[in-house]
Amino acid sequence: MSKRAYLVLEDGTVFEGMNFGAEGEAWGEVVFNTAMTGYQEVLTDPSYKGQIVTMTYPLIGNYGINDEDIESWRPWVEGFVVKEASGIVSNWRAKKSLDQYLKENNIVGIEGIDTRELTKRLREVGSQMGIISTVESDPVKLLEKARKLPKIEGRDLVKDVTCQKGYTWKQGDWSLTGYREVAETKYKVVVYDFGVKYNILRMLAEVGFEVHVVPAHTLAEDVLEMKPDGVFLSNGPGDPAPVEYAIKNIRKLVGKVPICGICLGHQLLGLALGGKTYKLKFGHHGANHPVKDLINNRIEITSQNHNFVVDPDSITGEVEVTHINLNDYTVEGLRHKGIPAFSVQFHPEASPGPHDSRNIFKAFREMIDVHNG
């Protein structure tokens, strides 16, 4: 029999359900993800560090967990919320159940609550701090804890997810026989790991980059000594503003080497170019967000995962907005008119999600082509 569990939000909302995954207590900022599939990629995305993720799709776990659909070396979500965790696993690649995977990685989950009601609450009030517990049955005590939790704003979560030492990446895209190793490369790119997803590295390798990953605190001078053809700024968790060391290093690199950024990397580039960021009410998390490319007037369905965005009113001079979100018209892309530097807020590598925007990686290579003459 499953153990009773509670999810308590800082505004006093209480959800009672049943435990799956690990037992115990977990806390974080509660957000919702609208993807229908891809829960394994969501769990292992470092951008979710500090957050409890709610899946809006009602049945999660039916195809189990495999060895290939991971985006990092471990899962990063603080807790997991679903309407129904499937007790049946049916997929030819599956190695274990979602419940087993969460237990093995000490991630507390709760199922059997009305995730539609929870999602509506988060949309109305905004993302909130919350606690999942299987060890405390008094919601009043859990509420007291929830209201004392540190917010996402102002915290440097990058230091918790970045690699400790650099490494080289050679794995390319996936096929029915597994991921292929890319042998032929044209350019050398240094990737700042702010919480990079594996599929970003795969897509960079796939378009012909020799990929070298470095920790988030790596000095700009050390990167330039590596003589890269380009520098890539990865995705990552939380608020970009407190990651001041990254912003300072990016400023030193701007104009000296072509730069491309995704998600947190996009926000950090925006800050380095003189812009500002602010927090969204409930963020963008899912695999079905429409984005308009203002340069070619093309609309793409994108995968997204972020709580902060660049303020368009703070962008001046030679920096222009290249993409906008068609749900709320927030900034989804930037480029500098005078130097080789551009970024996007969404995730062109998908995982999970559509492949509409994979051309971003080719655009980065083409920018380096032009820069090299």
Side-chain angles (χ1 to χ4, degrees), residues 3-6 8 14 16 25 133-142 145:
K3 194 171 185 178
R4 193 167 301 281
Y6 292 88
V8 178
V14 177
E16 182 179 335
E25 203 163 274
S133 182
T134 67
V135 295
E136 176 59 71
S137 59
D138 186 349
V140 175
K141 292 181 180 179
L142 290 173
K145 289 183 181 181

Side-chain angles (χ1 to χ4, degrees), residues 216-231:
H217 57 267
T218 304
L219 297 177
E221 293 81 1
D222 293 337
V223 169
L224 291 174
E225 282 186 9
M226 297 173 71
K227 300 188 183 304
D229 295 292
V231 170

Side-chain angles (χ1 to χ4, degrees), residues 2-291:
S2 297
K3 194 171 185 178
R4 193 167 301 281
Y6 292 88
L7 168 64
V8 178
L9 306 181
E10 63 178 297
D11 71 349
T13 305
V14 177
F15 294 90
E16 182 179 335
M18 303 304 292
N19 168 241
F20 79 108
E23 294 184 13
E25 203 163 274
W27 62 271
E29 183 181 58
V30 184
V31 299
F32 62 89
N33 185 296
T34 56
M36 296 174 67
T37 61
Y39 52 83
Q40 185 170 339
E41 293 93 329
V42 168
L43 290 167
T44 55
D45 182 349
S47 298
Y48 280 115
K49 173 65 180 174
Q51 294 180 321
I52 293 173
V53 178
T54 303
M55 301 300 291
T56 61
Y57 192 72
L59 180 65
I60 299 295
N62 57 313
Y63 57 85
I65 298 290
N66 61 63
D67 295 332
E68 296 167 320
D69 293 344
I70 56 173
E71 290 301 316
S72 183
W73 61 277
R74 53 158 281 192
W76 292 99
V77 301
E78 305 297 340
F80 205 44
V81 182
V82 302
K83 170 63 177 174
E84 180 182 351
S86 177
I88 299 173
V89 173
S90 180
N91 186 273
W92 64 278
R93 293 194 298 154
K95 300 297 184 182
K96 63 188 68 173
S97 69
L98 173 61
D99 179 65
Q100 182 183 350
Y101 184 67
L102 295 183
K103 282 186 170 74
E104 290 175 355
N105 289 280
N106 199 33
I107 296 174
V108 182
I110 182 172
E111 67 167 318
I113 72 168
D114 188 342
T115 50
R116 294 173 300 177
E117 181 184 349
L118 173 57
T119 300
K120 184 177 179 181
R121 187 66 181 164
L122 296 175
R123 284 179 59 89
E124 291 175 347
V125 179
S127 299
Q128 299 184 57
M129 300 304 295
I131 293 181
I132 301 174
S133 182
T134 67
V135 295
E136 176 59 71
S137 59
D138 186 349
V140 175
K141 292 181 180 179
L142 290 173
L143 178 58
E144 290 175 358
K145 289 183 181 181
R147 287 178 172 170
K148 294 178 182 178
L149 295 174
K151 303 284 189 181
I152 289 288
E153 300 93 314
R155 293 166 58 196
D156 176 10
L157 296 175
V158 169
K159 59 180 175 53
D160 298 326
V161 301
T162 188
C163 60
Q164 297 305 304
K165 61 180 181 179
Y167 60 92
T168 301
W169 182 275
K170 295 184 178 180
Q171 191 179 78
D173 206 357
W174 189 86
S175 67
L176 289 177
T177 57
Y179 292 107
R180 74 185 192 94
E181 185 168 310
V182 177
E184 296 183 8
T185 60
K186 184 177 182 181
Y187 294 123
K188 180 179 182 180
V189 63
V190 170
V191 178
Y192 265 103
D193 177 14
F194 302 125
V196 70
K197 291 171 63 180
Y198 286 166
N199 217 45
I200 287 177
L201 303 179
R202 295 180 188 119
M203 293 301 100
L204 288 170
E206 196 66 31
V207 297
F209 285 116
E210 178 186 319
V211 180
H212 297 268
V213 184
V214 297
H217 57 267
T218 304
L219 297 177
E221 293 81 1
D222 293 337
V223 169
L224 291 174
E225 282 186 9
M226 297 173 71
K227 300 188 183 304
D229 295 292
V231 170
F232 190 91
L233 312 175
S234 85
N235 63 295
D239 188 349
V243 195
E244 295 179 356
Y245 50 89
I247 299 169
K248 290 178 182 177
N249 283 318
I250 295 168
R251 284 191 183 124
K252 293 178 182 179
L253 293 169
V254 168
K256 295 182 179 178
V257 62
I259 296 176
C260 176
I262 285 177
C263 199
L264 183 70
H266 155 82
Q267 297 161 15
L268 291 170
L269 178 62
L271 291 170
L273 292 173
K276 296 179 181 179
T277 56
Y278 66 92
K279 192 172 189 291
L280 294 168
K281 185 176 181 180
F282 48 82
H284 299 163
H285 312 280
N288 48 11
H289 291 252
V291 166

Side-chain angles (χ1 to χ4, degrees), residues 291-300 321-324 326 359:
V291 166
K292 184 174 183 179
D293 184 333
L294 301 177
I295 304 302
N296 60 24
N297 208 34
R298 182 170 178 253
I299 295 174
E300 302 170 359
V321 175
T322 59
H323 298 74
I324 58 169
L326 293 182
N359 62 299

